[in-house]
């Protein structure tokens, strides 16, 4: 997911890679791969987005306060909790259960809104579906059966 799906199974990704991919996905709703492809295909918009992304990434990397840390809706904690939680069954919880779960697991210290979390989950599930569909169209299906 997040455009890192080409990595061999079992690879670990660095927090830097994760952050870069997460920023890309959150900001533009596309994977790094899509963005790089669009930029390579000559889209001025994608090129600008790529540059913005690198700037944001550097801000994060060098520890400069990102404007998102001061009050905007984006919260990387929530993003990554949701990403790892979807596989674990977060997708089956009601909005209220989801908020309880985040109250339990998340260290942001803020109150978690069931409605906001439900929307975040919806966005992420859609994005994941799109990634899966795109991956199917572009690649040989992975061999799922082993004998
Ligand atoms: Zn939180």
């Amino acid at each position: 997911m997040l455009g890192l799906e080409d990595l061999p199974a079992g690879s670990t990704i660095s927090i830097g890679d994760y952050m870069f991919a997460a920023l890309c996905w959150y900001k533009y709703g596309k994977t790094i791969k899509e963005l790089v492809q669009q930029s390579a295909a000559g889209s001025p918009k994608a090129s600008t987005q790529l540059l913005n992304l690198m700037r944001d990434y550097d801000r994060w990397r060098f520890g400069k306060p990102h404007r998102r840390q001061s009050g905007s809706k984006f919260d990387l904690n929530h993003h990554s909790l949701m990403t790892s939680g979807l596989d674990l069954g977060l997708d089956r919880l009601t909005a209220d259960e989801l908020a309880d779960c985040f109250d339990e697991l998340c260290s942001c210290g803020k109150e978690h809104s069931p409605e906001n979390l439900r929307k975040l989950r919806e966005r992420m599930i859609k994005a994941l579906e799109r990634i899966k569909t795109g991956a199917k169209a572009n690649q040989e299906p992975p061999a799922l059966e082993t004998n």
Side-chain angles (χ1 to χ4, degrees):
M1 61 183 61
L2 297 179
L4 302 167
E5 69 271 20
D6 290 340
L7 293 172
S11 330
T12 52
I13 59 167
S14 72
I15 180 69
D17 289 344
Y18 177 80
M19 189 66 193
F20 197 74
L23 277 173
C24 179
W25 193 17
Y26 181 78
K27 277 172 79 85
Y28 305 122
K30 51 183 109 166
T31 64
I32 304 245
K33 207 163 118 189
E34 287 173 316
L35 187 59
V36 169
Q37 273 167 359
Q38 287 166 0
S39 167
S43 157
K45 193 177 157 204
S47 299
T48 309
Q49 289 177 335
L50 198 56
L51 285 174
N52 286 340
L53 194 64
M54 288 177 192
R55 192 199 54 207
D56 283 354
Y57 176 69
D58 273 350
R59 273 196 197 133
W60 169 78
R61 205 155 56 105
F62 299 119
K64 294 193 183 137
H66 197 277
R67 61 178 183 279
R68 283 196 175 122
Q69 285 168 356
S70 53
S72 152
K73 279 183 194 164
F74 179 74
D75 188 320
L76 187 66
N77 281 339
H78 296 172
H79 195 276
S80 58
L81 259 180
M82 193 68 87
T83 307
S84 43
L86 281 176
D87 282 343
L88 304 173
L90 275 191
D91 53 328
R92 292 190 296 271
L93 300 181
T94 67
D96 284 334
E97 287 169 343
L98 200 59
D100 285 347
C101 183
F102 271 67
D103 282 340
E104 198 68 38
L105 296 173
C106 179
S107 53
C108 77
K110 285 174 256 172
E111 206 175 312
H112 295 99
S113 146
E115 186 57 19
N116 286 348
L117 288 174
R118 194 187 57 75
K119 283 184 191 154
L120 174 66
R121 180 175 63 180
E122 214 166 88
R123 276 209 310 275
M124 295 189 63
I125 288 175
K126 276 191 191 138
L128 285 173
E129 274 168 7
R130 207 160 50 79
I131 290 169
K132 277 182 204 154
T133 316
K136 258 184 223 153
N138 294 331
Q139 297 167 10
E140 293 285 307
L144 293 175
E145 286 165 334
T146 49
N147 291 319

